[in-house]
Amino acid sequence: MGNITGFKEYPRTAPPKAAPTERLAHYQEFIGLYPEPELHQQAARCMNCGVPFCHSGCPLGNIIPEFNEAVYRQDWREAYDILTATNNFPEFTGRICPAPCESACVLSIHSAPVAIEEIEKHIIEIAFRQGYVQPTALVLKTGKTVAVVGSGPAGLAVAAQLTEAGHSVTVFERDPHPGGLLRYGVPDFKLEKWVIERRIKLLEAAGVTFRCQVEIGRDLSADELRQGFDAVVLAGGASAPRELNLPGRELKGIHYAMEYLTQQNRRVSDTPVDSEHILADGLDVVVIGSGDTGSDCVGTANRQQARSVAQFAMMHQPGEERPAHTPWPLYPTIFRTSSSHEEGCQRYWGVNTKAYLGDSTGSVRALLVSDVTWETDDLGRRVRFEEVPGSDREIPCQLVLLALGFTGPANASLLNQLGVTLDERGNVHAPKPPTTPTGPAYSWPATCAAASRSSSGPSRKAAKRHGRLIYT
């Protein structure tokens, strides 16, 4: 490594961030970039560890110590080549990834981990400024055509990979613009949409065709799709929201989180909202669900000037230290405070919602809740809960947002038309590929396609240089 004692010399620091009172006045990103000397120091904190567990912590298998060393040496072209050997869109992951690589960082055993996610964002933004990021597509085409259904991060990555391999790719999106949840789910204060537009333009320049406001299964049948393309990739994601069907669910003012977040993203981008407006202005808001989507609802409600914002979690409040059931290098179950929580939120832990309570107009006015206690096993994992006797009470609210995750794909019509097999939970049954590829890098079955890295270009060269073959 560039500085083998850097982790001893420099503490972990965060880039500059606007104060809550300032950022609540707008929907733009509010986290800045490191000054050059500080970026150099943060990269120097990467240890010369024998086994870099950050590789396994990263779902993409990013080659993290190597790009940290390149950043330390200020070799931005090298850092960019290494990063993009495994990551199609560092500008997205560098902003919204939960960074399990940092939880797996060897340094995090006894200290604060390397600021991997922030360094990743800096590499790609510097690469854009330096002009390294250019459309990549083979001049020699394979003659194969592929339809990609869904333009979220998975669909965009598939389109990028198959185009780079020489195939002609068309991406179908039911919404007015491509991006999926990146555009319509993630708030602008975490990911401004010009970042998506910048990447879409690069994909179009590489040859990807986007057909928006086309819903496969309705506007275009599955048979028409299969007849028009050599292969079809299904990248629609799991967009069916999990329900909380309690007494009073029919009351006005109870909405899924994505309904709420999508509307606000449309407003910010001056796209018409074609359904009843959901706004938190002057209301008491309760968000049920303690994940990232719930946090996004908190930040959005505060920007809409809600009177109060509360967030419910049925589990007990996690501790500050790693519990036994998520030891290093696993992503730990610990107490986390997001930037949205910093902006104002009453967080309730160990709360069970029992009913929605309404007023005379048929609108929600409160939630009936009770406290719960959890029984845990020897490792601290939750096993079962019990209500605390006599703890029933009402929490006033006029807007309830359900942020309880997703249960599976929403476009059942398309899946039925394609004859796709579902598993016992209603998700698409997708067999795992073999650990060691034994045949061609990709094949052409009737309804799906596997993406492969191209045999040339900077991504493949970088992978070879670091002794890795990357299969996607």
Side-chain angles (χ1 to χ4, degrees):
M1 303 305 295
N3 185 341
I4 61 173
T5 60
F7 67 97
K8 295 182 179 180
E9 299 173 24
Y10 307 115
R12 174 180 169 127
T13 59
K17 182 168 60 175
T21 53
E22 177 183 340
R23 63 196 193 224
L24 283 177
H26 59 76
Y27 286 90
Q28 286 77 49
E29 293 179 26
F30 50 82
I31 298 176
L33 296 174
Y34 289 117
E36 187 173 306
E38 193 167 353
L39 177 60
H40 185 262
Q41 292 177 1
Q42 293 305 301
R45 295 188 70 243
C46 188
M47 301 167 64
N48 187 15
C49 49
V51 180
F53 279 82
C54 55
H55 284 183
S56 60
C58 174
L60 299 177
N62 282 347
I63 309 168
I64 296 165
E66 287 82 354
F67 72 58
N68 279 330
E69 180 183 4
V71 171
Y72 179 81
R73 291 189 280 103
Q74 297 183 313
D75 188 337
W76 302 113
R77 178 75 211 203
E78 177 77 0
Y80 169 70
D81 284 348
I82 296 170
L83 177 57
T84 54
T86 54
N87 190 339
N88 292 94
F89 311 126
E91 67 269 33
F92 302 155
T93 56
R95 286 171 165 85
I96 60 176
C97 178
C101 58
E102 296 186 11
S103 299
C105 175
V106 174
L107 188 55
S108 70
I109 296 175
H110 58 79
S111 181
V114 176
I116 300 170
E117 183 178 20
E118 285 295 338
I119 292 173
E120 181 178 306
K121 183 175 78 172
H122 283 65
I123 292 172
I124 188 63
E125 292 304 328
I126 291 171
F128 270 109
R129 290 203 302 267
Q130 300 281 18
Y132 302 147
V133 189
Q134 297 294 329
T136 56
L138 293 184
V139 175
L140 181 62
K141 297 293 186 179
T142 64
K144 298 292 186 179
T145 59
V146 187
V148 178
V149 182
S151 68
L156 294 180
V158 167
Q161 289 302 119
L162 292 178
T163 300
E164 190 176 339
H167 314 309
S168 297
V169 180
T170 299
V171 179
F172 292 90
E173 171 56 54
R174 64 185 176 185
D175 285 316
H177 302 284
L181 288 182
L182 293 173
R183 183 182 294 274
Y184 294 106
V186 179
D188 285 64
F189 55 79
K190 290 174 65 175
L191 176 65
E192 289 187 45
K193 305 319 171 203
W194 64 264
V195 179
I196 302 172
E197 289 294 341
R198 181 176 62 181
R199 180 58 67 172
I200 295 298
K201 289 178 181 177
L202 282 166
L203 292 172
E204 289 177 329
V208 178
T209 299
F210 290 93
R211 291 186 59 185
C212 296
Q213 292 185 303
V214 177
E215 184 171 346
I216 306 300
R218 188 191 66 180
D219 303 316
L220 190 67
S221 72
D223 285 340
E224 291 175 301
L225 194 69
R226 295 174 70 172
Q227 291 169 10
F229 294 87
D230 294 300
V232 175
V233 179
L234 301 179
S239 56
R242 179 171 283 109
E243 181 61 89
L244 187 60
N245 197 7
L246 300 172
R249 179 62 179 89
E250 74 285 353
L251 294 169
K252 298 176 184 177
I254 305 170
H255 302 277
Y256 296 119
M258 278 303 158
E259 293 179 290
Y260 176 64
L261 294 175
T262 297
Q263 280 198 7
Q264 186 54 44
N265 282 3
R266 284 174 173 267
R267 293 188 192 98
V268 173
S269 62
D270 293 324
T271 303
V273 175
D274 53 6
S275 58
E276 180 184 356
H277 285 255
I278 308 169
L279 293 166
D281 183 20
L283 303 181
D284 300 303
V285 180
V286 171
V287 180
I288 302 179
S290 59
D292 288 341
T293 302
S295 174
D296 292 344
C297 290
V298 169
T300 302
N302 278 322
R303 282 165 177 75
Q304 291 181 352
Q305 299 184 345
R307 180 164 54 195
S308 68
V309 182
Q311 187 175 20
F312 287 2
M314 196 170 182
M315 65 180 183
H316 53 68
Q317 181 174 334
E320 301 286 346
E321 303 295 329
R322 286 178 178 268
H325 66 274
T326 52
W328 178 88
L330 300 179
Y331 191 72
T333 303
I334 58 174
F335 180 73
R336 292 181 172 87
T337 300
S338 72
S339 60
S340 292
H341 294 139
E342 296 171 353
E343 295 160 3
C345 178
Q346 175 65 49
R347 304 174 74 179
Y348 291 84
W349 300 93
V351 170
N352 179 37
T353 305
K354 302 175 69 173
Y356 310 101
L357 306 179
D359 60 18
S360 58
T361 68
S363 299
V364 65
R365 65 168 181 83
L367 294 176
L368 177 63
V369 304
S370 66
D371 294 327
V372 298
T373 58
W374 284 92
E375 179 184 340
T376 58
D377 61 16
D378 293 339
L379 295 177
R381 293 174 295 195
R382 290 173 285 134
V383 178
R384 64 183 61 86
F385 72 91
E386 292 183 356
E387 288 192 19
V388 176
S391 64
D392 283 9
R393 63 192 186 279
E394 295 183 10
I395 303 293
C397 61
Q398 300 83 46
L399 177 61
V400 178
L401 301 173
L402 304 179
L404 300 167
F406 304 90
T407 60
N411 195 344
S413 173
L414 169 62
L415 300 178
N416 290 334
Q417 290 180 33
L418 287 172
V420 173
T421 302
L422 303 180
D423 62 19
E424 64 278 3
R425 300 182 64 181
N427 294 315
V428 173
H429 178 65
K432 293 183 179 180
T435 304
T436 303
T438 56
Y442 53 84
S443 58
W444 296 97
T447 59
C448 64
S452 74
R453 290 274 166 187
S454 69
S455 59
S456 63
S459 296
R460 175 63 61 152
K461 291 177 182 177
K464 285 184 176 180
R465 182 169 57 249
H466 294 279
R468 294 168 178 271
L469 267 178
I470 310 302
Y471 291 87
T472 303

